Amino acid sequence: MLRQAKVFRDNQVVQERIMDSNDLERERGITILSKNTSITYKGTKINIIDTPGHSDFGGEVERVLNMVEGVLLVVDSVEGPMPQTRFVLKKALEFGHAVVVVVNKIDRPTTRPEFVVNSTFELFIELNATDEQCDFQTVYASGIKGKAGLSPENLADDLGPLFEAILRCIPEPRIEKDGALQMLVSNTEYDEHKGRIAIGRLHAGELQRGMEVKVCTPHDACRVGKVSELFVYQNFSRVPVESVSAGDICAVCGMNDIMIGETIADKITGTPLPTIKVEEPTVRMSFSINTSPFVGREGKYVTSRNLRDRLYRELERNLAMKVEDGETADTFLVSGRGTLHLTILIENMRREGYEFMIGPPKVINKTVDGKLLEPYEIAAVEVPEEYMGSVVELLGKRRGQMVNMEASGPEGTTLLKYKIPTRGLIGLRNAILTASRGRAILNTIFDSYGSWAGDLSSRDQGSLVAFEDGSTTSYALLNAQERGLLFVQPGQDVYKGQIVGIHQRPGDLAINVCKKKAATNVRSNKETTVVLDEPLSYSLDDCIEFIQEDELVEVTPSSIRMCKNPKISKKK
């Protein structure tokens, strides 16, 4: 769309997925933050906001939905709407937005457009869409070839039909051009020179550079601010302007204490708009300062003050997250939409030079009318038929209830849908990948709170724990690998209490991985060649899913280690 709207010069080098500008977004291949741009088509300015599709980042979606009048729902021509699609679409339909369905990758050999459109229609019905919303326009497209059309067989040479559908189906902004100034802040950014920048859409009136305004919310007292600079979005850059009229999306500088959800209104007659409502978090983790013997070796920020400042700074733009003080002065409880939501924050902090400890994820339960309720999620697993039995057994052990089972695609795969407690999902991804030899795909979405499902069977195997501080040796690791799978290799520094492997039996085992071979009688004992197994390489997400109640993950800029929690061990 951007290329055909002549956003780029003819000779400009354009990288793939240009809107996913964050390093983590590029590495993981997912959208994490909402970003906006604009294009001009036949004299009409179209503002485009790219939002995440994953429900863990739903807070990003909820706050930008009041900036738009309609949505493009992009679905794959083979897979159809994914479980995550449900969350974002539900929010858009609740706002009453017009929806244009784009069936993308229509050039795939196993494409099935009729099935995809029918599944999408069924999803609209399930989400209580109005009759007008159910009568959606469908556009078939191939993003990689830059072609679109109103039927799968007849694609135009460019995306013209898609642009025409946007102009035809998505209404112009509903605004009061001559009313008193109103702008709801939907996003904030920070610039070294300009300070905090507030981004939002003007609902009414006109905003001018140098103008005095009031900043308010429906509940709090108002305060006065002044607009020092004003920008609108054009292609990929912010362009300075003198004034912005209602309906356009703009960026405002000059108010360094402005927060998401506040209204910039006329100084005399302005009234605040309703603030942004965001769904409650479902998972909680404890963040604490690093207490391992290796503290301060790799990180720049290691104190509880550094950790507190960074976590509270995250709250300014991450509306779906909550931070509370923990039991001790150096512990903080951070709540989010899911483990992915929190691991992205941990990964970002780690790259910024922070060192800290993470406790195991715990679900946030509720008590209503004396009954204990816990969050449930819908898990969709695509799995080849030969591994279906072991996957079904895994989900059953974790109190999952099968909702649906159907053949998906021509490759002999089955789509299983389960309603499962969020507790049961922690550590499930690794278990399913192991059971299916890495061929299963798991997608989950929050469903609702339901009655407590009872006790769940957690990890079957214990941990192998280092017996003393020191450097690992091949001789010691050769003996240790008979006890289970190891995380460490020779010559690696370890400390007492560090988890160095997975025990093959239940219960933990303390082992000595630093033992050196005695140097006596060397000539008669010929050196034998030591053959070690390849150590397991666990990512941050894997470690967080692996640890149990009495274990912690130590996160530093250059390494991720797991250890036993000394406070809980002492209690025992």
Side-chain angles (χ1 to χ4, degrees), residues 490-503:
Q492 210 169 310
D493 285 344
V494 295
Y495 54 83
K496 186 179 178 179
Q498 184 178 333
I499 296 169
V500 291
I502 305 173
H503 192 199

Side-chain angles (χ1 to χ4, degrees), residues 120-194:
T120 309
F121 181 72
E122 283 168 18
L123 182 59
F124 272 69
I125 301 290
E126 272 180 57
L127 297 175
N128 301 323
T130 62
D131 292 351
E132 293 80 35
Q133 287 170 329
C134 286
D135 186 21
F136 52 79
Q137 172 71 58
T138 307
V139 179
Y140 302 89
S142 165
I144 200 160
K145 291 182 178 173
K147 294 181 174 184
L150 297 180
S151 74
E153 299 81 29
N154 186 16
L155 297 186
D157 294 333
D158 59 10
L159 292 175
L162 176 58
F163 288 124
E164 294 294 342
I166 292 171
L167 295 184
R168 188 173 64 251
C169 303
I170 291 176
E172 289 186 3
R174 294 189 288 272
I175 50 168
E176 297 174 47
K177 205 150 196 161
D178 305 320
L181 168 69
Q182 275 185 319
M183 171 184 150
L184 186 68
V185 178
S186 302
N187 200 354
T188 58
E189 286 180 10
Y190 186 79
D191 185 277
E192 289 289 328
H193 308 292
K194 298 182 177 68

Side-chain angles (χ1 to χ4, degrees), residues 270-539:
T271 52
L273 290 159
T275 56
I276 299 167
K277 285 190 178 71
V278 175
E279 304 240 334
E280 289 294 304
T282 55
V283 174
R284 177 186 288 140
M285 280 188 211
S286 68
F287 284 49
S288 58
I289 58 166
N290 190 357
T291 51
S292 86
F294 294 170
V295 61
R297 283 194 186 184
E298 296 160 1
K300 199 163 42 164
Y301 307 110
V302 294
T303 65
S304 58
R305 189 174 58 84
N306 296 145
L307 192 58
R308 173 190 288 276
D309 291 350
R310 177 64 182 84
L311 289 174
Y312 280 98
R313 200 162 69 240
E314 184 68 23
L315 292 183
E316 289 176 5
R317 68 180 318 278
N318 203 331
L319 293 194
M321 201 168 269
K322 285 187 177 174
V323 177
E324 306 158 64
D325 289 346
E327 292 173 6
T328 58
D330 50 21
T331 306
F332 305 94
L333 296 175
V334 183
S335 311
R337 285 283 176 80
T339 47
L340 181 63
H341 188 198
L342 295 172
T343 45
I344 294 294
L345 166 67
I346 296 165
E347 187 61 53
N348 278 325
M349 287 173 65
R350 179 184 165 216
R351 292 178 184 205
E352 290 163 21
Y354 287 84
E355 243 186 59
F356 49 102
M357 296 275 204
I358 304 293
K362 294 175 184 171
V363 299
I364 299 171
N365 300 321
K366 284 181 181 174
T367 306
V368 179
D369 300 333
K371 282 185 181 173
L372 183 62
L373 304 181
E374 67 172 324
Y376 279 78
E377 304 205 16
I378 298 290
V381 189
E382 252 181 82
V383 59
E385 277 170 16
E386 63 260 40
Y387 304 117
M388 204 169 85
S390 48
V391 169
V392 167
E393 187 187 347
L394 263 175
L395 289 159
K397 263 188 192 173
R398 291 164 176 262
R399 306 270 176 177
Q401 300 159 354
M402 190 182 283
V403 178
N404 191 9
M405 180 169 123
E406 58 182 45
S408 89
E411 296 95 14
T413 57
T414 305
L415 180 67
L416 304 168
K417 272 194 184 168
Y418 271 79
K419 186 173 181 180
I420 184 168
T422 304
R423 283 182 301 148
L425 290 172
I426 295 167
L428 181 65
R429 196 176 298 272
N430 277 340
I432 280 186
L433 285 174
T434 307
S436 66
R437 308 288 186 274
R439 290 175 63 192
I441 300 167
L442 170 68
N443 287 301
T444 59
I445 170 131
F446 173 71
D447 181 52
S448 59
Y449 272 82
S451 54
W452 179 257
D455 291 336
L456 293 179
S457 63
S458 58
R459 201 173 84 204
D460 297 333
Q461 295 140 312
S463 304
L464 295 175
V465 184
F467 183 69
E468 61 180 2
D469 301 0
S471 187
T472 55
T473 64
S474 309
Y475 173 67
L477 293 180
L478 184 65
N479 296 327
Q481 72 183 15
E482 293 169 14
R483 304 286 189 179
L485 299 165
L486 296 176
F487 294 131
V488 291
Q489 53 196 23
Q492 210 169 310
D493 285 344
V494 295
Y495 54 83
K496 186 179 178 179
Q498 184 178 333
I499 296 169
V500 291
I502 305 173
H503 192 199
Q504 60 201 11
R505 293 197 173 93
D508 297 339
L509 178 69
I511 55 168
N512 191 346
V513 286
C514 306
K515 196 174 172 186
K516 292 184 172 62
K517 188 174 182 183
T520 54
N521 205 359
V522 172
R523 280 175 300 177
S524 61
N525 277 337
K526 277 195 173 173
E527 269 304 311
T528 51
T529 311
V530 174
V531 180
L532 292 174
D533 297 338
E534 184 69 26
L536 291 174
S537 173
Y538 266 21
S539 68

Side-chain angles (χ1 to χ4, degrees), residues 80-111:
M82 300 301 281
Q84 292 99 315
T85 312
R86 170 188 288 270
F87 178 83
V88 182
L89 180 60
K90 180 178 170 215
K91 292 289 168 196
L93 294 174
E94 282 171 6
F95 271 80
H97 291 330
V99 182
V100 175
V101 175
V102 182
V103 181
N104 192 22
K105 302 182 186 174
I106 201 70
D107 49 346
R108 282 178 70 173
T110 54
T111 177

